[in-house]
Amino acid sequence: EVAMQYAGDGAQPMIFEISVGQVDRGASLSWVSQYADEEEILFPPLSNLEVTGDPKMEVVDGIVATVIPIRINANTRCLTLDELKSRSKT
């Protein structure tokens, strides 16, 4: 319902229904957010989104939206900046 409030008027809104696992969870930014009641999450660099199902139509408060189920995949194998710098020195 909160996502629908941000959808606005006009074109048909699209909402991503995001699922995350323990490894791909990300870091909560609520403590530094202007909107502390919202659950803002920061994902690691090179994370990607994977569509996990077919889009579905949902009606919330009289607004029809396309809901797309996705999953976050964090790249846990990427090198840190320090690791990249140390490799380039050799």
Side-chain angles (χ1 to χ4, degrees), residues 60-73:
V60 178
D61 295 332
I63 300 172
V64 178
T66 303
V67 179
I68 301 173
I70 61 173
R71 186 179 106 127
I72 298 287
N73 291 310

Side-chain angles (χ1 to χ4, degrees), residues 49-69:
L49 304 173
E50 175 185 0
V51 176
T52 58
D54 293 328
K56 57 188 176 198
M57 305 302 277
E58 284 190 16
V59 179
V60 178
D61 295 332
I63 300 172
V64 178
T66 303
V67 179
I68 301 173

